[in-house]
Amino acid sequence: MKNYVICTDSACDIKPTTLSEWGVEYCSLTFQFNDSDTIYSNNEMDVTEFYDKMRAGGIAKTSAINTDTFEKVFEKYLAEGKDLLYLGFSSGLSATYKYARLAA
């Protein structure tokens, strides 16, 4: 049994099924395209479809993962006595890193 967990966010552009196979925990950013009221996570639209929409002229707006979401994930593994390594999206491009840091 591993005594550590790797965690990332959906900005890594790796399919959730692949992350699961690798044993990597992840948190999903949400996004919305300019031509729709639907809010998606990467569980609901895979990366290929996301970039196909952008190539077709869609403009995506993302929302950062909040501190509470990170706290729940981090606390789950810390309660099991595991170390956690979070590999996150750039702090220069998203507030997601800031919220992960606050949660830590």
Side-chain angles (χ1 to χ4, degrees):
M1 178 177 221
K2 297 188 304 188
N3 59 355
Y4 65 92
V5 173
I6 297 172
C7 181
T8 191
D9 57 55
S10 57
C12 72
D13 287 345
I14 299 172
K15 292 181 179 185
T17 53
T18 302
L19 291 172
S20 180
E21 288 171 15
W22 293 345
V24 175
E25 179 70 57
Y26 72 97
C27 298
S28 291
L29 284 87
T30 57
F31 57 92
Q32 181 176 14
F33 282 91
N34 59 328
D35 62 348
S36 173
D37 290 333
T38 304
I39 298 174
Y40 299 95
S41 74
N42 74 330
N43 291 328
E44 299 160 335
M45 180 184 293
D46 75 19
V47 107
T48 304
E49 185 179 353
F50 177 86
Y51 286 115
D52 285 346
K53 279 185 159 292
M54 289 186 71
R55 279 189 278 280
I59 298 171
K61 292 183 180 180
T62 60
S63 294
I65 301 164
N66 62 40
T67 304
D68 185 56
T69 299
F70 280 119
E71 284 178 352
K72 287 176 183 170
V73 171
F74 294 174
E75 286 174 355
K76 175 175 101 174
Y77 292 107
L78 294 175
E80 295 174 8
K82 295 183 178 183
D83 290 328
L84 190 129
L85 172 63
Y86 170 67
L87 302 170
F89 199 39
S90 168
S91 63
L93 298 174
S94 173
T96 296
Y97 170 81
K98 172 183 152 186
Y99 297 134
R101 189 169 165 89
L102 287 170

